[in-house]
Amino acid sequence: MKHMYDCYELNNGVRIPCIGFGTYKATDGNGEETIKTALEAGYRYFDTAAFYENEEEIGRAVRDSGIKREEIFLSSKVWKCDMGAERTKASFEESLRRLGTDYLDMYLIHWPRPDLDTREWKKLLTETWKAMEELYREGRVRAIGVSNFLPHHLEVLSDVSDILPAADQIEFHPGYTQELTVDYCKRKGILVQAWSPLGRMRVLKHPLLLELSEKYQVSPAQLCIRYALERGVLPLPKASSYERMKQNQEVFGFEISGEDMLRIGTMPPAGWSGEHPDFERVRF
């Protein structure tokens, strides 16, 4: 990847910009203006979800921008409380209505199970995926995928699906790289996307990243984004200011050496959100 408008190719041939704009909590406050600023900064891929409660703001900002719909890549997600065939389809229609569009570029299952007490979660997941496949076949969405799925969740789909997920959006950053899941997805041809690619302040202030950011004359955030790209992972950074938005794009003028990639990849655990699909949320 040499430019933010370079694209990955999903396993169904759909092209997707190599850097997207994550919108979870990025639109708190004046969200519409944040999205307009991101559009002005050059972002064309916006990742949202029903749970984020910002689809209407994103839709208005995109329409007001005057940019053609086909030049924007819009991705949303069905929330875990809306799993199941009919509720998934209804949630999809609501996302289209709020975004003000008649199709999505990508639609994801947000979490593999609604809660830890649902014993029949595999059946519910299968029904949800079948609904996703139906939406895809109808041409309502250009690609379908998942979020926060680990290999054993993906195996449930592989046993029953006709269509392989195009992407798996997981927490991925230095200090939390989920190597088993990344390796599984790469072997299956599933694009890994990184939510929270910058980790948190514990990551950005880590001595190794501070050392390497000085070496490469970039910010720790730029180093994290570049690390994801060099791993073949699509990062979804978020920012509130135009300057930070542009800085997060300026990651194509340097390469991380093989040795330093290994050093970053073997950092001690750092910056984990506490979220895990199979366990209770850990509060730090």
Side-chain angles (χ1 to χ4, degrees), residues 16-246:
I16 180 172
C18 67
I19 296 180
F21 189 80
T23 68
Y24 180 53
K25 293 188 176 181
T27 56
D28 291 355
N30 196 345
E32 193 171 334
E33 288 303 313
T34 299
I35 301 303
K36 286 181 178 179
T37 301
L39 286 161
E40 292 169 5
Y43 288 94
R44 294 296 180 266
Y45 169 22
F46 293 89
D47 175 76
T48 184
F51 180 73
Y52 299 172
E53 298 184 345
N54 58 15
E55 290 171 314
E56 289 185 353
E57 296 168 296
I58 292 171
R60 285 195 300 268
V62 168
R63 288 193 299 276
D64 291 348
S65 71
I67 300 170
K68 294 179 181 179
R69 170 66 183 88
E70 57 267 27
E71 295 179 15
I72 304 291
F73 195 101
L74 287 178
S75 177
S76 193
K77 310 177 190 72
V78 58
W79 184 236
K80 56 187 177 181
C81 295
D82 289 322
M83 295 177 71
E86 296 308 314
R87 294 185 72 172
T88 294
K89 293 177 187 177
S91 181
F92 178 82
E93 296 296 341
E94 281 298 300
S95 286
L96 290 187
R97 181 188 64 78
R98 288 190 291 263
L99 285 162
T101 183
D102 58 1
Y103 74 96
L104 284 180
D105 296 283
M106 189 158 64
Y107 197 47
L108 310 177
I109 303 175
H110 208 145
W111 290 90
R113 52 199 295 177
D115 55 56
L116 300 182
D117 297 324
T118 302
R119 292 178 177 239
E120 298 296 321
W121 67 268
K122 292 182 180 180
K123 180 175 182 292
L124 192 60
L125 176 56
T126 297
E127 293 172 355
T128 303
W129 188 251
K130 289 297 182 183
M132 303 276 282
E133 290 183 326
E134 188 175 329
L135 293 168
Y136 176 76
R137 290 193 182 97
E138 292 172 351
R140 312 293 306 285
V141 58
R142 298 174 64 218
I144 53 176
V146 297
S147 176
N148 299 300
F149 276 50
L150 304 178
H152 59 285
H153 305 125
L154 290 163
E155 282 289 293
V156 173
L157 296 185
S158 72
D159 292 338
V160 299
S161 63
D162 297 319
I163 300 170
L164 186 70
D168 187 4
Q169 189 177 121
I170 62 173
E171 181 176 358
F172 175 96
H173 52 75
Y176 193 73
T177 54
Q178 301 207 64
E179 294 299 330
L180 188 62
T181 300
V182 171
D183 178 68
Y184 179 94
C185 287
K186 287 184 179 296
R187 286 189 286 107
K188 295 289 186 178
I190 301 170
L191 177 67
V192 176
Q193 298 183 319
W195 65 260
S196 190
L198 310 184
R200 284 151 191 82
M201 292 309 295
R202 296 191 301 278
V203 172
L204 297 179
K205 291 184 177 180
H206 192 279
L208 175 61
L209 294 190
L210 292 176
E211 173 198 330
L212 294 179
S213 67
E214 183 175 349
K215 173 181 177 179
Y216 292 100
Q217 291 297 289
V218 297
S219 71
Q222 289 171 313
L223 196 68
C224 290
I225 294 169
R226 182 69 200 184
Y227 175 75
L229 289 170
E230 293 198 23
R231 292 291 309 274
V233 172
L234 193 159
L236 297 165
K238 57 188 179 184
S240 56
S241 71
Y242 181 87
E243 291 73 21
R244 283 286 305 280
M245 291 175 186
K246 292 298 289 185

Side-chain angles (χ1 to χ4, degrees), residues 253-264:
F254 72 103
E255 292 184 8
I256 304 172
S257 72
E259 179 183 351
D260 290 337
M261 286 291 292
L262 292 174
R263 294 177 70 199
I264 294 171

